[in-house]
Amino acid sequence: MHKDDLEVSKRSTVGANDKADSITSLHPIEKKILLIMQKMGDWISEINLANDSGLTLDQLRRGIEWLKYKNLIELSDSSDTKISLNSKMLDNSNCVLPERKLVNIISDGKNKLSDVINSETFQNNEKEAYGAIRYSKNNKWIVIEKDEVKLLPGVEIPSKEENLINRLKTEKSIQSSLLSGEDKIAYEELAKRTNVLTTEKQIQKKYRILNENMDQINKMLQSSQKFARKLDKEMLISHEWKNLHFEQIDVEAPLPLSNFGKKNPLIDFIDEVKEILISMGFSEIDGNLSQSSFWNFDALFIPQDHSAREMQDTFYLSSKTGLYSTLKQEDQLVDKVSQIHESNWNYKWNVKEAETFVLRTHTTPVTLQHLWNKSPDKDKVFLIGRVFRNEKVTFKHLVEFHQVEGIYTSSNATLRQLIGIQSEFYSKLGIKKIKFWPTFFPYTEPSLQSMVYNDKLNKWIELFGMGIFRTEVTRPLGIKNPVLAWGGGFERLAMLRFSLDDIRELYSNNLSWLKSVPKCQL
């Protein structure tokens, strides 16, 4: 639909004969405005129109826009300058200009130039003193002979600048457009000085009825035809609405702000992603926030001397619960994992190291436990949950954040399928520019990094890691088929959705931002 057609449709009326004329009814606000303009018969300012109508400025401007759209009134914009005395000038005793101070000093008997400049009146302000001499000469009040300053006849007559200042003292403020003659010249001179005048630019709007519409407006204002404001159930049942004229509705009028409670935008986004994954055939799983080092690291083929297991990267927990109380058939699984570590990494695997408990650094321990407990031949599951990293908080890193991950396993699972799953997932989120780069992860081979294009930053950014679980991970769990795995930080995905530059804004409790995020993304 064309933009103009859309605007017309917004303001179109409902009921009989609504296409007969572009103007079928007047809103009460429009009637008030037109009645005042009709009475005035000529231009009326916005301020006077607001005062006479009793409407708020918001109501008035809305009504003016309606009438302008209907081409019933015309607008005239004019600018003016409001002039008043500067606060420093008002603090000055009797608002005396420097040149008058100079005259007063000389009248008191001080006529040596050095005495005038260094007098207490000018408070050692040579700039003001020399300015006073210059302005006095321009007014032909003084003459300087050698080192003496002498007054000339007529010095007692106020200058045009003093006359304007006296007028401002009385009237408080004057519009520059009302100045003429000497007052106008005085304003132009005083405007060049500092701390004398204060000026304020003002835009004046005036309105009047278009002459060619006067007859039509008179008929509309005098019409006895009544217009309905609401459509109710009785009108629909009785078909009365067919014979009624309805007042126009401003569909763009602002609604009152309601401070109702709602979910955090991040939680809404998590729910949206869950719906997308479920629609793609995935089932949701969940697990504990605390995990043994065995499930968090060892089962993922991460060696016990890996830097990710150090205290500066991981939150370790004090717990007396041992590894063997957390696993089914633990002897068999632990033995298989330890043998794979020792044969591949060439070190002595320590069960005590595996027994320590941590706040999970990723959600993959839950995925591995699902594979261990279910031993599926074919499965599609996902998990969105909190993880913890002992890192410094920055604009792109948090200590506690969410991670989303999923796996797909079947006898014919391939890396190409994994790329297709990721592409479809991003597409459902509205992300179209996607590419994949080869990378390295300890527990997948081959491994890829998904890249998406951020239009706001105008560059490619990394999102999720992905790959096929190594047989060193799946074989001890009893999984024979390939397992496609992918995952990454959920907050980075949220930053894209909400166009944020700083990940910390998601948790800043900024109410203005929280209320501004729409519930539905168009």
Side-chain angles (χ1 to χ4, degrees):
M1 180 181 286
H2 192 274
K3 181 181 177 182
D4 294 340
D5 297 332
L6 180 61
E7 291 297 320
V8 170
S9 67
K10 286 179 180 178
R11 295 167 171 84
S12 61
T13 54
V14 181
N17 302 321
D18 61 339
K19 294 182 180 179
D21 195 338
S22 61
I23 309 165
T24 59
S25 67
L26 286 174
H27 190 276
I29 290 177
E30 294 175 294
K31 289 179 182 177
K32 271 191 176 183
I33 295 171
L34 287 175
L35 283 169
I36 294 169
M37 288 185 177
Q38 186 186 49
K39 184 179 179 182
M40 178 62 63
D42 201 357
W43 294 104
I44 182 170
S45 68
E46 186 176 64
I47 295 173
N48 291 337
L49 195 53
N51 292 335
D52 293 349
S53 64
L55 298 171
T56 64
L57 278 177
D58 182 58
Q59 289 174 320
L60 176 65
R61 287 166 183 167
R62 197 183 313 156
I64 289 293
E65 285 302 312
W66 293 337
L67 293 169
K68 280 168 58 182
Y69 173 78
K70 295 174 182 178
N71 202 31
L72 293 176
I73 63 172
E74 60 180 327
L75 163 69
S76 171
D77 274 340
S78 61
S79 61
D80 206 344
T81 302
K82 179 183 176 183
I83 307 166
S84 57
L85 291 175
N86 187 280
S87 58
K88 291 188 177 181
M89 190 64 183
L90 291 170
D91 291 340
N92 185 351
S93 176
N94 296 320
C95 302
V96 179
L97 290 171
E99 54 265 37
R100 182 57 65 180
K101 292 180 183 179
L102 176 65
V103 170
N104 293 337
I105 292 171
I106 299 170
S107 298
D108 289 340
K110 294 180 180 180
N111 59 357
K112 284 190 176 182
L113 186 59
S114 56
D115 291 340
V116 170
I117 294 173
N118 297 317
S119 67
E120 186 179 345
T121 301
F122 291 119
Q123 299 177 345
N124 296 320
N125 187 342
E126 290 188 0
K127 186 176 180 180
E128 184 181 13
Y130 284 117
I133 293 171
R134 184 172 74 254
Y135 297 133
S136 297
K137 281 186 173 181
N138 291 340
N139 292 339
K140 297 181 180 180
W141 284 354
I142 63 169
V143 62
I144 300 176
E145 296 177 353
K146 295 183 180 179
D147 190 36
E148 288 188 1
V149 184
K150 297 181 180 179
L151 297 179
L152 296 174
V155 70
E156 68 281 355
I157 300 173
S159 67
K160 55 184 179 296
E161 289 84 5
E162 288 178 316
N163 287 331
L164 179 58
I165 287 175
N166 289 330
R167 182 179 171 186
L168 287 169
K169 284 169 60 178
T170 304
E171 300 181 26
K172 304 302 181 185
S173 65
I174 304 172
Q175 300 296 328
S176 64
S177 60
L178 301 177
L179 297 177
S180 61
E182 288 195 344
D183 281 343
K184 187 174 183 180
I185 297 171
Y187 163 62
E188 291 172 353
E189 291 296 325
L190 290 175
K192 298 175 184 177
R193 306 194 196 186
T194 58
N195 301 327
V196 177
L197 299 179
T198 296
T199 58
E200 180 185 348
K201 201 77 172 177
Q202 293 181 326
I203 302 296
Q204 288 188 332
K205 293 185 177 181
K206 296 187 292 184
Y207 310 97
R208 73 175 177 183
I209 297 173
L210 283 168
N211 291 330
E212 58 265 31
N213 293 324
M214 190 65 76
D215 293 338
Q216 183 184 13
I217 290 172
N218 290 336
K219 289 178 182 178
M220 292 174 67
L221 293 175
Q222 294 169 7
S223 173
S224 59
Q225 188 179 42
K226 293 184 178 180
F227 292 88
R229 301 201 67 185
K230 292 183 179 180
L231 179 66
D232 55 34
K233 183 174 69 175
E234 285 72 20
M235 291 179 185
L236 291 171
I237 294 172
S238 65
H239 299 283
E240 183 187 359
W241 63 272
K242 295 180 180 179
N243 301 316
L244 291 175
H245 292 265
F246 289 89
E247 289 182 347
Q248 298 181 12
I249 298 172
D250 179 14
V251 297
E252 295 179 342
L255 293 171
L257 179 64
S258 298
N259 291 318
F260 53 85
K262 64 176 183 179
K263 285 184 182 179
N264 186 286
L266 182 62
I267 302 300
D268 277 334
F269 189 39
I270 288 175
D271 291 341
E272 180 186 342
V273 170
K274 285 182 178 181
E275 288 183 13
I276 289 173
L277 291 170
I278 290 171
S279 73
M280 293 172 63
F282 286 83
S283 300
E284 186 178 7
I285 59 174
D286 201 0
N288 295 330
L289 298 180
S290 62
Q291 296 286 340
S292 66
S293 290
F294 177 85
W295 281 118
N296 200 79
F297 299 116
D298 296 272
L300 273 169
F301 195 53
I302 299 175
Q304 292 185 333
D305 60 353
H306 195 280
S307 59
R309 300 176 72 144
E310 296 178 3
M311 289 289 292
Q312 61 264 34
D313 295 313
T314 307
F315 290 106
Y316 282 87
L317 304 176
S318 299
S319 176
K320 296 181 180 180
T321 305
L323 168 67
Y324 296 109
S325 63
T326 65
L327 301 175
K328 298 177 181 178
Q329 305 174 20
E330 61 275 3
D331 289 337
Q332 181 185 1
L333 178 60
V334 171
D335 286 345
K336 289 180 180 179
V337 170
S338 64
Q339 290 172 12
I340 287 176
H341 273 254
E342 290 179 353
S343 61
N344 284 273
W345 296 122
N346 195 25
Y347 74 97
K348 181 63 177 176
W349 188 80
N350 186 354
V351 69
K352 294 295 183 183
E353 180 71 26
E355 286 182 338
T356 58
F357 273 74
V358 300
L359 290 177
R360 66 187 186 194
T361 59
H362 46 196
T363 51
T364 314
V366 180
T367 303
L368 296 184
Q369 289 164 11
H370 172 79
L371 292 172
W372 165 249
N373 290 323
K374 301 296 182 181
S375 298
D377 289 328
K378 188 173 183 178
D379 206 357
K380 291 172 74 173
V381 298
F382 77 93
L383 166 64
I384 301 177
R386 284 182 292 163
V387 298
F388 307 86
R389 303 279 176 87
N390 193 4
E391 296 180 345
K392 181 180 179 181
V393 176
T394 67
F395 72 97
K396 61 178 180 179
H397 291 104
L398 294 172
V399 171
E400 177 181 348
F401 57 97
H402 291 81
Q403 195 172 59
V404 54
E405 75 167 66
I407 60 166
Y408 169 68
T409 180
S410 73
S411 59
N412 59 354
T414 64
L415 190 66
R416 190 178 185 87
Q417 285 180 307
L418 181 55
I419 291 174
I421 290 170
Q422 286 291 277
S423 298
E424 183 182 359
F425 174 71
Y426 288 135
S427 178
K428 286 179 178 290
L429 286 172
I431 301 172
K432 304 300 182 183
K433 295 182 180 179
I434 315 157
K435 61 183 178 181
F436 302 93
W437 283 1
T439 188
F440 169 79
F441 296 112
Y443 39 87
T444 57
E445 181 62 36
S447 304
L448 295 176
Q449 180 79 51
S450 62
M451 310 287 293
V452 300
Y453 191 76
N454 187 322
D455 291 317
K456 184 178 180 182
L457 299 177
N458 196 29
K459 67 178 183 179
W460 291 91
I461 62 171
E462 297 180 2
L463 269 189
F464 295 161
M466 53 191 286
I468 301 177
F469 274 146
R470 299 174 65 114
T471 55
E472 289 88 348
V473 175
T474 57
R475 191 166 59 242
L477 301 173
I479 305 299
K480 298 179 181 179
N481 293 332
V483 179
L484 312 180
W486 54 270
F490 191 87
E491 276 75 359
R492 285 200 176 184
L493 199 60
M495 289 174 70
L496 277 176
R497 164 55 62 87
F498 302 124
S499 299
L500 299 177
D501 298 321
D502 193 325
I503 198 170
R504 293 169 291 191
E505 292 184 44
L506 291 166
Y507 297 97
S508 65
N509 292 327
N510 183 341
L511 290 180
S512 61
W513 179 77
L514 291 171
K515 291 177 180 178
S516 69
V517 178
K519 291 289 287 182
C520 299
Q521 296 290 330
L522 299 177

